[in-house]
Amino acid sequence: MQSPSDRHEYPAHWEADVVLRDGGITHVRPITEDDAERLVSFYEQVSDESKYLRFFSPYPRLSAKDVHRFTHHDYVDRVGLAATVGGEFIATVRYDRVDADGMPASAPADEAEVAFLVQDAHQGRGVASAMLEHIAAVARERGVRRFAAEVLPGNTKMIKVFTDAGYAQKRSFEEGVVRLHLDLEPTDRSLAVQQAREQRAEARSVRRLLAPGSVAVIGVSRAPGGVGRGVLEHLRDGGFTGALHAVNAAFPADLAHVDGVPACRSLTEIDGPVDLAVVAVPADRVPEVVDECGAHGVQGMVVLSAGYAELGPEGLERQRRLVRRARAFGMRVIGPNAFGVVNTADGVRLNASLAPEMPRAGRIGLFTQSGAIGVALLSRLHRRDGGVTGVTGVSTFVSAGNRADVSGNDVLQYWYDDPETDVALMYLESIGNPRKFNRLARRTAAAKPLVVVQGARHSGVPQGHAVRATRLPHDTVSALLRQAGVIRVDTITELVDAGLLLARQPLPGGPRVAILGNSESLGLLTYDACLAEGLEPQRPLDLTTDATPDDFHRALSRALADPGCDAVVVTAIPRIDEATGAGGAAADAELAEALRTAGALAPDKPVLVVHVELGGLAEALSAAAVTAPRSRSRSGEGVHLADGTEPPRAPAGAGSEEKAEESRQRLIPAYPAAERAVRALAEAVRYADWRRSAADSGRVPEFEDIDEKETAAFVTTLLARTAADPSGPAVAASAGVNGPVAPAGVSGPAPADANGPMAAAPASTSGPDAAPAALGPDLGPEDTRDLLRRYGIPVRRAVPAATADDAVAAAGRLGFPVALKTTAPHLRHRADLGGVRLDLADEDQVRRAFAELADLFGGADEVRPVVQQMAPRGVDTVVRAVIDPAAGPVLSFGLAGAPSQLLGDLSHRLIPVADRDAASMIRSVRTAPLLFGWRGAAPVDTDALEQLLLRVSRLVDDHPEVVAVTLEPVVVAPRGVSVLGASVRLAPPPARDDQGPRTLPEY
């Protein structure tokens, strides 16, 4: 028997909801001694063949000793996990730590034997693969580095689970048994396998919601009116191709149909399966509906009901119970407080939403967290009057409401390889997992455009959205999204404008723009707008107001044939033929045909139209009933993802001829204002440029002088020391020795609301850096220098000097010339106050400088002076890295002082940073010319600066315990860099991160 001292506390953080290969959900959790009956019941449902493959002999039932062994664990050397659905086991996995002879052992032994058992009814769903990810993560957390497994040769499924996982492994055949050894250290291949499985599973979970074979609307009123009755009518009138049921417990027994749809009192009256339940009942009745749906095997729910987190803490708890209960049954939830979902595919025709009309079919996918915004977007895409850009349509629409379960990340997984979606548009008010969103967005953007508008940028997270708080300002998050290839816009008007251009036209090959039209003024406005957006416009070609459609056709044909042109903007105002008086719709249609036929001659160059009071032209240009798919232009060719695979392409087969015909129609977007057209074009140019660069994302370099294992041991020692005496390092840091010490030209600490993760001084107790400060203090100066040295980052020593004699002695040891600086918190980085004395060449100058500082600011206790050897002259910069609780580790760079603190001139990248990222970080700040020889100054050593950025990135990426690093100032000289001040903060690492096993967000 285990005594309490033999066991560790129940590891609740190992619990996880996991999406399986078929899109269903299982709950993974540690096995406890209370699971004896569940284990026995589970084992009874396993076939004799599966039992034989697990135990290598007939094993019809578990003995009492077996049950005790398999349910009693210490969660360190013996661990068991179970996958459950509806609270019952469907699979188990366990490991037992062993020594070199295969005998039971404890740490420091780092090998364990692992074994799986999956219920036959659930084999083939990817349960074992998911369980291997989770038990491997648990093992790594407990110091186990290798798994050993013995498998019968006939157990090919389990052998495949191990061999397909992507871990480094050895395989041998001994005494009739296949013996496998897996190294549990994640590899590039294992992470790629894990993320590919995650994508397929989450995409299928969304597909089950968007393409159901049968739908039940629960909460349909008997009389016309009400939300449930309305959705039922929308499904019926939209032409839903599957089985449809109306459900209400209050229906009289003799009621057989509602509006021609079969009426049921409960789901038990429905003979066949129900794939999707649309729930429109009061919030207090939803729990019983969830139980009924779970018992019937419903695959997913769209919960329209309100009364959840949007009402406050009580509603939030109700929302959490809803999600937990639904997931326990293996169901996914859209909502609550959702507007609904739409799928316009011919084989589905699903309008399970509050939208009264089925949207027109098209190539744009649309996700929104707001029902009102969803209505507005659908209306703009549907409008035919030319007021926006003419008619278009959507492939799928999801309005997730409080997005308690299904989120934008899940929908991105679905759109990534959806052949019906060419462009993805998203309205987001919060991002629950920015780090994962960034990863998914980068992969999606390599395959198709992703346009995002962020709402609630200044008002905080909307009521009802339970998300992890981020300390990153909105501008920083936006910058990180742009680096991932996201086209980030500010309004829903810009969202639609950019989306329609990208859906209808090829990507531009560059920024060179030809402008032609029959209005000189409109052409000049377009020219100015191009310059403002950073494009390279040619002088506008004025065709005069007498221009005929043939004139437009010839001019557009010449412009598209020009190799110095990448895109064309056509401007048009109404024209009335003086001879015939013709105009209006007929003239608009003739002009539209002339532009379409000319555009078809150059299918790799985009064409846009700016029209004034020509609503008929916009409609004529959009005469087709659907949005044409984008042709693959030269700017998108050759794109590969980070794992070396190509982005998905729409498969050939059914519908290919129809889609080819749509491409030949050459739908041209028309805009009512030059600024809107040019802004959309500029976004397309920037996106195309990102696509070209995404083919080579760079590499994360290896440094031969870095010893990760030795540094990891040192970090562990530092953490243990901090835990034993948490006040020690903090006192040293507060003395000013460890804090950033600045030469002339560096101003004071950044304000708490500065633009980026570099915003707060290390000693701050509020603002962006507050969370790490609460987790652990800064390291002392010697520990900081020692840690950074291990990663090839030398820090110039700063010696405290309490008296003038101390200062002279320190200068003698360091070597003249030296600098004398104040490091008190209110004076740090305030060279403008006179707290820095540079180029002190001898003892007399040091004593004189010390006396001047004392006269200005007081005694040494108030000034906290330090002496530091002078560094070569150069440009003062600052480098910082922080681990944001939502976005993950972020590296930031800027010029020290006013540029970064006052103007917010900073660049940011997610860690790990590749060599291309480091180079672009330096060049993307507005003050970058100061580094490259501005106004005749000598260029500084940016190569050395890039190496420094890469080393800081590696330090934080290799050791998640390093939660904050500040290097300030970093003086970049013509040859080399000098780090004059540094601080490092440590904290226990998170138990799981985005690179851990697949799991849905905890709720």
Side-chain angles (χ1 to χ4, degrees):
M1 290 289 293
Q2 291 173 316
S3 67
S5 61
D6 294 326
R7 298 191 300 267
H8 285 66
E9 291 185 5
Y10 178 80
H13 65 282
W14 292 352
E15 294 197 27
D17 293 317
V18 182
V19 184
L20 300 175
R21 180 184 302 159
D22 61 357
I25 294 177
T26 186
H27 182 71
V28 176
R29 66 169 177 81
I31 297 174
T32 72
E33 53 195 65
D34 296 328
D35 289 320
E37 292 185 7
R38 291 185 185 89
L39 180 65
V40 171
S41 175
F42 157 73
Y43 194 77
E44 289 174 349
Q45 298 176 64
V46 176
S47 69
D48 291 340
E49 180 184 6
S50 293
K51 293 173 182 176
Y52 182 88
L53 293 174
R54 165 65 176 86
F55 293 102
F56 298 3
S57 64
Y59 215 89
R61 64 185 60 84
L62 296 176
S63 67
K65 183 178 180 180
D66 292 330
V67 172
H68 183 275
R69 178 188 170 206
F70 293 152
T71 56
H72 287 64
H73 306 94
D74 62 8
Y75 303 125
V76 177
D77 300 324
R78 300 180 307 283
V79 173
L81 301 179
T84 68
V85 173
E88 298 302 319
F89 286 9
I90 65 168
T92 62
V93 62
R94 62 177 287 108
Y95 79 68
D96 293 270
R97 195 188 302 254
V98 295
D99 59 20
D101 298 322
M103 301 301 293
S106 298
D110 60 359
E111 183 171 311
E113 293 183 342
V114 64
F116 296 79
L117 186 60
V118 180
Q119 211 173 78
D120 294 66
H122 294 276
Q123 292 177 11
R125 301 182 65 199
V127 179
S129 299
M131 296 287 278
L132 176 57
E133 291 179 18
H134 283 263
I135 196 69
V138 167
R140 288 192 296 268
E141 182 181 328
R142 295 310 196 200
V144 174
R145 297 291 174 247
R146 289 180 304 281
F147 274 164
E150 292 185 347
V151 186
L152 290 176
N155 195 354
T156 56
K157 290 181 180 179
M158 186 52 61
I159 293 175
K160 185 173 175 59
V161 167
F162 288 118
T163 57
D164 288 355
Y167 295 113
Q169 56 188 268
K170 296 179 181 179
R171 182 174 174 178
S172 61
F173 185 77
E174 303 172 9
E175 299 179 354
V177 173
V178 177
R179 187 162 181 83
L180 297 165
H181 284 87
L182 277 71
D183 187 338
L184 299 183
E185 185 67 26
T187 65
D188 290 342
R189 181 168 177 263
S190 71
L191 292 176
V193 168
Q194 179 177 306
Q195 292 174 4
R197 288 172 172 169
E198 174 194 63
Q199 187 275 325
R200 289 192 296 268
E202 293 180 359
R204 285 170 182 164
S205 76
V206 174
R207 188 174 296 116
R208 300 199 322 177
L209 296 165
L210 292 177
S214 59
V215 176
V217 182
I218 303 176
V220 176
S221 60
R222 286 173 287 180
V227 172
R229 185 69 172 262
V231 173
L232 183 70
E233 293 172 356
H234 302 164
L235 282 161
R236 182 200 61 195
D237 297 343
F240 176 58
T241 59
L244 189 58
H245 307 275
V247 180
N248 189 334
F251 282 162
D254 58 349
L255 182 65
H257 293 86
V258 175
D259 291 338
V261 176
C264 307
R265 268 59 45 189
S266 73
L267 294 180
T268 57
E269 297 182 15
I270 300 174
D271 293 334
V274 173
D275 299 324
L276 178 67
V278 181
V279 181
V281 302
D284 59 355
R285 286 195 51 215
V286 170
E288 61 187 79
V289 170
V290 173
D291 289 344
E292 186 177 351
C293 290
H296 195 75
V298 174
Q299 295 182 347
M301 304 170 62
V302 176
V303 180
L304 308 178
S305 312
Y308 288 88
E310 73 275 9
L311 298 183
E314 183 178 346
L316 176 60
E317 183 55 36
R318 184 183 300 120
Q319 184 168 296
R320 286 172 172 158
R321 289 196 299 269
L322 162 65
V323 174
R324 284 195 293 263
R325 191 61 181 160
R327 288 181 179 176
F329 284 112
M331 296 184 292
R332 300 219 64 180
V333 176
I334 291 179
N337 197 27
F339 187 79
V341 298
V342 172
N343 186 347
T344 62
D346 287 340
V348 182
R349 302 291 298 171
L350 175 76
N351 182 13
S353 77
L354 300 177
E357 293 184 45
M358 183 74 167
R360 186 172 288 102
R363 311 292 306 180
I364 292 178
L366 184 59
F367 175 88
T368 173
Q369 294 172 349
S370 163
I373 299 299
V375 171
L377 287 171
L378 287 175
S379 174
R380 293 187 181 217
L381 291 171
H382 193 75
R383 192 179 303 173
R384 294 187 60 93
D385 61 7
V388 181
T389 51
V391 60
T392 191
V394 300
S395 58
T396 48
F397 166 76
V398 177
S399 179
N402 294 358
R403 64 158 191 72
D405 180 26
V406 174
S407 69
N409 285 346
D410 298 293
V411 180
L412 271 183
Q413 299 276 40
Y414 171 77
W415 281 335
Y416 169 67
D417 56 5
D418 175 30
E420 303 300 322
T421 301
D422 287 339
V423 179
L425 307 184
M426 306 186 81
Y427 172 81
L428 304 176
E429 293 175 341
S430 63
I431 302 176
N433 186 342
R435 190 177 189 185
K436 181 177 180 179
F437 181 83
N438 190 286
R439 169 169 60 85
L440 301 186
R442 179 180 292 273
R443 185 184 58 192
T444 302
K448 58 190 67 174
L450 170 59
V451 192
V452 172
V453 61
Q454 292 174 265
R457 297 192 297 270
H458 306 294
S459 57
V461 177
Q463 189 87 345
H465 290 215
V467 300
R468 287 178 288 179
T470 176
R471 299 188 306 277
L472 301 181
H474 168 74
D475 289 344
T476 303
V477 175
S478 296
L480 295 175
L481 292 180
R482 283 190 178 276
Q483 292 150 27
V486 174
I487 301 169
R488 206 206 64 76
V489 296
D490 292 324
T491 68
I492 61 171
T493 298
E494 294 175 359
L495 182 74
V496 173
D497 288 349
L500 293 179
L501 172 63
L502 293 162
R504 296 176 166 200
Q505 295 288 308
L507 294 177
R512 301 167 299 180
V513 182
I515 304 169
L516 61 93
N518 62 354
S519 168
E520 181 181 16
S521 298
L522 196 54
L524 291 174
L525 283 174
T526 305
Y527 181 85
D528 291 342
C530 286
L531 290 175
E533 290 291 341
L535 302 178
E536 300 174 10
Q538 302 173 3
R539 295 300 301 181
L541 174 62
D542 182 17
L543 302 178
T544 77
T545 56
D546 294 330
T548 66
D550 287 342
D551 294 330
F552 274 93
H553 183 278
R554 285 191 293 271
L556 179 56
S557 298
R558 285 194 300 269
L560 290 171
D562 180 5
C565 165
D566 299 308
V568 181
V569 179
V570 178
T571 63
I573 61 173
R575 172 185 175 273
I576 302 296
D577 190 298
E578 294 183 0
T580 64
D588 292 344
E590 188 179 359
L591 177 57
E593 181 62 21
L595 298 177
R596 272 201 302 266
T597 55
L601 300 176
D604 61 342
K605 294 183 180 181
V607 178
L608 301 79
V609 168
V610 177
H611 67 91
V612 175
E613 296 302 326
L614 285 175
L617 175 61
E619 185 173 351
L621 289 170
S622 303
V626 295
T627 304
R630 297 176 296 105
S631 60
R632 294 181 64 85
S633 72
R634 65 180 182 274
S635 58
E637 293 178 355
V639 174
H640 287 74
L641 305 183
D643 60 3
T645 61
E646 292 188 7
R649 304 186 184 191
S656 297
E657 294 182 1
E658 178 183 348
K659 292 182 180 181
E661 177 62 28
E662 291 174 6
S663 295
R664 288 193 291 271
Q665 288 178 355
R666 187 67 169 167
L667 301 184
I668 299 175
Y671 299 83
E675 296 80 8
R676 288 173 56 180
V678 171
R679 190 176 298 118
L681 177 60
E683 294 293 356
V685 168
R686 286 188 281 267
Y687 170 67
D689 182 66
W690 181 90
R691 280 277 290 266
R692 287 187 289 270
S693 66
D696 179 15
S697 58
R699 65 182 186 88
V700 177
E702 296 290 337
F703 294 100
E704 294 183 359
D705 58 341
I706 291 178
D707 189 332
E708 290 183 36
K709 292 184 177 180
E710 181 184 346
T711 305
F714 181 63
V715 169
T716 300
T717 300
L718 293 177
L719 272 175
R721 187 189 305 162
T722 301
D725 183 16
S727 64
V731 172
S734 67
V737 180
N738 186 42
V741 286
V746 180
S747 60
D753 60 350
N755 182 25
M758 305 164 62
S764 173
T765 57
S766 61
D769 280 341
L775 292 174
D778 290 349
L779 294 179
E782 295 304 320
D783 288 338
T784 296
R785 293 177 67 245
D786 194 0
L787 176 59
L788 294 174
R789 176 187 56 78
R790 294 167 185 267
Y791 267 67
I793 305 171
V795 180
R796 288 186 176 252
R797 189 180 180 192
V799 181
T803 66
D805 290 339
D806 292 341
V808 170
R813 292 195 303 272
L814 295 174
F816 291 99
V818 297
L820 182 67
K821 312 171 186 181
T822 61
T823 61
H826 65 290
L827 298 173
R828 187 178 298 158
H829 305 315
R830 294 303 306 275
D832 56 310
L833 298 180
V836 179
R837 297 292 186 273
L838 302 176
D839 288 318
L840 305 178
D842 53 39
E843 292 187 13
D844 291 341
Q845 291 184 15
V846 172
R847 292 184 183 278
R848 186 162 54 251
F850 194 94
E852 290 172 356
L853 292 181
D855 290 342
L856 280 173
F857 304 112
D861 291 341
E862 299 178 53
V863 176
R864 300 180 187 175
V866 297
V867 179
Q868 193 171 48
Q869 189 177 37
M870 285 295 298
R873 296 285 185 174
V875 179
D876 296 344
T877 64
V878 57
V879 176
R880 289 195 186 176
V882 297
I883 296 184
D884 183 79
V890 179
L891 182 69
S892 302
F893 167 77
L895 267 63
S900 59
Q901 297 175 4
L902 182 62
L903 302 179
D905 186 19
L906 305 164
S907 60
H908 313 282
R909 297 292 187 275
L910 289 177
I911 293 172
V913 169
D915 49 8
R916 288 174 59 94
D917 295 323
S920 65
M921 283 188 76
I922 294 171
R923 290 158 178 80
S924 61
V925 294
R926 296 192 298 276
T927 45
L930 295 173
L931 301 169
F932 294 94
W934 185 64
R935 299 185 68 176
V940 299
D941 193 349
T942 54
D943 290 341
L945 181 57
E946 290 175 19
Q947 291 297 304
L948 177 66
L949 291 171
L950 291 169
R951 288 177 179 273
V952 173
S953 170
R954 277 290 307 274
L955 173 64
V956 176
D957 190 45
D958 292 345
H959 307 285
E961 301 89 346
V962 180
V963 298
V965 176
T966 300
L967 307 181
E968 185 181 8
V970 176
V971 180
V972 190
R975 294 189 62 181
V977 298
S978 300
V979 180
L980 304 188
S983 64
V984 174
R985 185 177 302 142
L986 301 183
R992 301 283 171 90
D993 59 21
D994 189 46
Q995 300 300 318
R998 287 175 285 161
T999 179
L1000 289 173
E1002 182 180 352
Y1003 220 96

